[in-house]
């Protein structure tokens, strides 16, 4: 079974669904996976914004909780992309901001959320998360093993998936 949401809100799904998720496949988003300036450099991309550990520290200081999820990261990331577009455009003109995003930022930048790449219609196509398989152990610990693509893989898929 594949479902996208555990990769976005794993702690919530674990508390609500628990071991019934055992063996489920999901897209793996930050904070489960951590993108880094080194990864950006390897791909020939510019790194922009904080790293995941820096973001988690800022989040904890601001909200007094360490339960960061992808929705927090994605929302925060929007602000960074807007900041970069305004810096690049040098104006708040809608046409200049669109030009900055499409010509100077899209496909050239990686952030803690992954590669920022949008189509001319604004559809985000840069974040292509790896696929992981969730394992919930009887002692309550959880592992998300990345199974695809091979460049990110930490394990191979277990099929058929184990019983809860």
């Amino acid at each position: 079974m594949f479902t996208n949401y555990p990769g976005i809100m794993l702690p919530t799904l674990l508390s609500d669904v628990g071991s019934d998720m055992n063996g489920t496949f999901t897209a793996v988003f930050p904070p489960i996976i951590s993108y880094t300036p080194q990864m950006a450099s390897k791909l020939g991309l510019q790194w922009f914004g904080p790293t995941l550990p820096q973001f988690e520290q800022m989040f904890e200081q601001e909200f007094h909780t360490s339960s960061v999820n992808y929705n927090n990261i994605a929302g925060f990331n929007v602000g960074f992309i807007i900041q970069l577009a305004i810096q690049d455009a040098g104006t708040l003109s809608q046409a200049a901001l669109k030009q900055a995003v499409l010509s100077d930022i899209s496909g050239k930048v990686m952030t803690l959320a992954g590669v920022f790449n949008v189509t001319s219609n604004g559809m985000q196509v840069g974040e292509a998360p790896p696929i992981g398989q969730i394992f919930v152990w009887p002692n309550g610990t959880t592992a998300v093993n990345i199974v695809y693509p091979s460049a990110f893989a930490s394990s191979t898929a277990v099929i058929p998936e184990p019983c809860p």
Side-chain angles (χ1 to χ4, degrees):
M1 175 185 287
F2 179 88
T3 180
N4 203 41
Y5 217 70
I8 296 172
M9 298 283 291
L10 186 60
T12 301
L13 271 284
L14 285 171
S15 68
D16 293 348
V17 180
S19 64
D20 287 338
M21 285 194 318
N22 205 30
T24 301
F25 292 91
T26 188
V28 179
F29 293 94
I32 298 170
I33 188 169
S34 181
Y35 296 104
T36 65
Q38 294 78 15
M39 292 170 89
S41 180
K42 276 184 167 180
L43 296 172
L45 301 170
Q46 171 192 348
W47 179 263
F48 189 71
T51 62
L52 181 60
Q54 291 167 335
F55 174 76
E56 288 172 328
Q57 182 181 20
M58 290 186 300
F59 190 87
E60 187 169 354
Q61 287 174 349
E62 180 68 26
F63 298 105
H64 309 290
T65 180
S66 60
S67 53
V68 170
N69 61 54
Y70 181 71
N71 291 334
N72 307 135
I73 292 168
F76 189 78
N77 196 58
V78 168
F80 274 107
I81 295 299
I82 291 169
Q83 175 187 341
L84 186 57
I86 292 169
Q87 285 175 315
D88 189 79
T91 178
L92 294 178
S93 155
Q94 182 180 359
L97 289 171
K98 182 177 181 179
Q99 180 66 28
V101 168
L102 293 177
S103 299
D104 300 330
I105 300 171
S106 180
K108 299 174 184 170
V109 173
M110 179 181 272
T111 69
L112 73 156
V115 177
F116 178 78
N117 192 9
V118 294
T119 67
S120 61
N121 295 325
M123 183 173 70
Q124 168 62 290
V125 294
E127 295 174 14
I131 303 301
Q133 190 172 21
I134 301 167
F135 292 96
V136 182
W137 306 110
N139 67 2
T141 61
T142 304
V144 179
N145 297 336
I146 297 175
V147 298
Y148 182 84
S150 58
F152 288 99
S154 61
S155 185
T156 56
V158 176
I159 300 172
E161 69 275 357
C163 294

